[in-house]
C-alpha cells in the first residue's frame, strides 16, 4: 500500500528487485511483470509473498472460476493477474500513484479475451470504501501488505467492509517483526484466522481468514 522511495546502496540481496522486469510462469502463461523500484519503491517490485500466493492459487485449493475477487495493495498486479487467468473476475487495487504502472502490467499480461474480467481501481485503505460494494466479494487477496503499523487499522476497516459472512481472505505474509504478529492478533478480534500454507524456502506464511459469526447476547 505504501509507496516507499528508492534508496541507493541497498543490500545486494535486493538486487533482483532493481531489475526492470520479473518473469514467471503461472496458469500456463508466461508472464513478464515490469518493475520500477526507483520511481515507486515497494509498490513496483514483485515480492516473494506474491509468488507464493500465486503458487498457492495454482494448487486449486481455492475455487476461482467465476468468483468475485479483489486484491489489495496489488503493486505489480501479479496475484490479481494470476487469479484472472485462473478464471476469477478480479478487481485489482492500489493507491493512485501506482495505477498507471499496474494497469500497464495487466494489459501486457492478460490476454485480450480475458481483459474484461479484470478491473484496475484506486483504493486507499479506509478511504472511499462506499465505492466498493459492502460484502461484495467472494475472495480478498493480499500479498505482503502487512508491514506498516499505521496502516493496520484502515486495513482492518477495509477488510470489514469488503467481506460478507461467506467471504474468504487470503494473506501471504513474511513475518519480519513483532508488529506483523500484532496485526494477526488484531485481525483475530474480527475474523477467524488459520495458517494454511508455509513456503519454507522463501519463509512465507499464507493465512486464511473469514468473519467471526455474530455474537449472541446472553
Amino acid at each position: 500500500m505504501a509507496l516507499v522511495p528508492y534508496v541507493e546502496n541497498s543490500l545486494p540481496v535486493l538486487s533482483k528487485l532493481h531489475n526492470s522486469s520479473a518473469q514467471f510462469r503461472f496458469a500456463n502463461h508466461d508472464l513478464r511483470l515490469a518493475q520500477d523500484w526507483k520511481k515507486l519503491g515497494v509498490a513496483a517490485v514483485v515480492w516473494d509473498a506474491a509468488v507464493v500466493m500465486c503458487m498457492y492459487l495454482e494448487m486449486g485449493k481455492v475455487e476461482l472460476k467465476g468468483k468475485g475477487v479483489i486484491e489489495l495493495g496489488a503493486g505489480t498486479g501479479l496475484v490479481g493477474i494470476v487469479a484472472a487467468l485462473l478464471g476469477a473476475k478480479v478487481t485489482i487495487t492500489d493507491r493512485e500513484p501506482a495505477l498507471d504502472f499496474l494497469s500497464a502490467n495487466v494489459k501486457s499480461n492478460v490476454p485480450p479475451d480475458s481483459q474484461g474480467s479484470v478491473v484496475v481501481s484506486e483504493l486507499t485503505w479506509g478511504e472511499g470504501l462506499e465505492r466498493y460494494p459492502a460484502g461484495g466479494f467472494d475472495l480478498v487477496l493480499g500479498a505482503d501488505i502487512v508491514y506498516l503499523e499505521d496502516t493496520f487499522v484502515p486495513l482492518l476497516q477495509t477488510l470489514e467492509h469488503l467481506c460478507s459472512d461467506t467471504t474468504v481472505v487470503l494473506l501471504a505474509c513474511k513475518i519480519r517483526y513483532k508488529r506483523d504478529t500484532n496485526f494477526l492478533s488484531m485481525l483475530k478480534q474480527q475474523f477467524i484466522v488459520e495458517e494454511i500454507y508455509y513456503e519454507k524456502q522463501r519463509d512465507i506464511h499464507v493465512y486464511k481468514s473469514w468473519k467471526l459469526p455474530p455474537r449472541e447476547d446472553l
Side-chain angles (χ1 to χ4, degrees), residues 50-203:
V51 176
V52 172
M53 178 72 87
C54 293
M55 292 167 56
Y56 184 78
L57 294 179
E58 268 201 325
M59 292 178 188
K61 295 182 179 181
V62 179
E63 179 60 49
L64 288 169
K65 288 187 178 179
K67 299 297 184 180
V69 176
I70 186 167
E71 183 187 4
L72 304 180
T76 63
L78 176 62
V79 171
I81 289 167
V82 171
L85 294 174
L86 291 170
K89 299 176 181 178
V90 188
T91 301
I92 305 179
T93 70
D94 211 318
R95 294 175 65 193
E96 193 279 330
L99 292 190
D100 288 345
F101 173 82
L102 176 55
S103 296
N105 269 337
V106 170
K107 186 175 182 180
S108 62
N109 286 283
V110 177
D113 60 351
S114 299
Q115 292 276 341
S117 65
V118 184
V119 173
V120 174
S121 183
E122 190 278 334
L123 176 55
T124 298
W125 301 338
E127 299 180 15
L129 296 178
E130 68 279 357
R131 294 184 292 112
Y132 295 87
F137 296 91
D138 301 302
L139 181 65
V140 179
L141 300 173
D144 217 351
I145 61 173
V146 178
Y147 57 91
L148 287 178
E149 211 160 6
D150 288 348
T151 67
F152 289 177
V153 169
L155 175 54
L156 287 170
Q157 291 171 344
T158 302
L159 291 174
E160 178 70 24
H161 175 81
L162 296 173
C163 294
S164 70
D165 293 340
T166 59
T167 303
V168 170
V169 179
L170 292 181
L171 298 175
C173 306
K174 192 177 188 75
I175 304 299
R176 301 178 178 90
Y177 310 106
K178 185 177 184 298
R179 64 173 179 261
D180 301 339
T181 57
N182 288 344
F183 174 80
L184 294 174
S185 296
M186 294 169 66
L187 184 63
K188 288 175 182 177
Q189 295 177 23
Q190 298 172 267
F191 290 77
I192 296 170
V193 180
E194 62 180 36
E195 183 172 340
I196 54 172
Y197 184 67
Y198 176 64
E199 209 286 323
K200 185 175 180 180
Q201 181 180 351
R202 296 176 176 85
D203 189 26

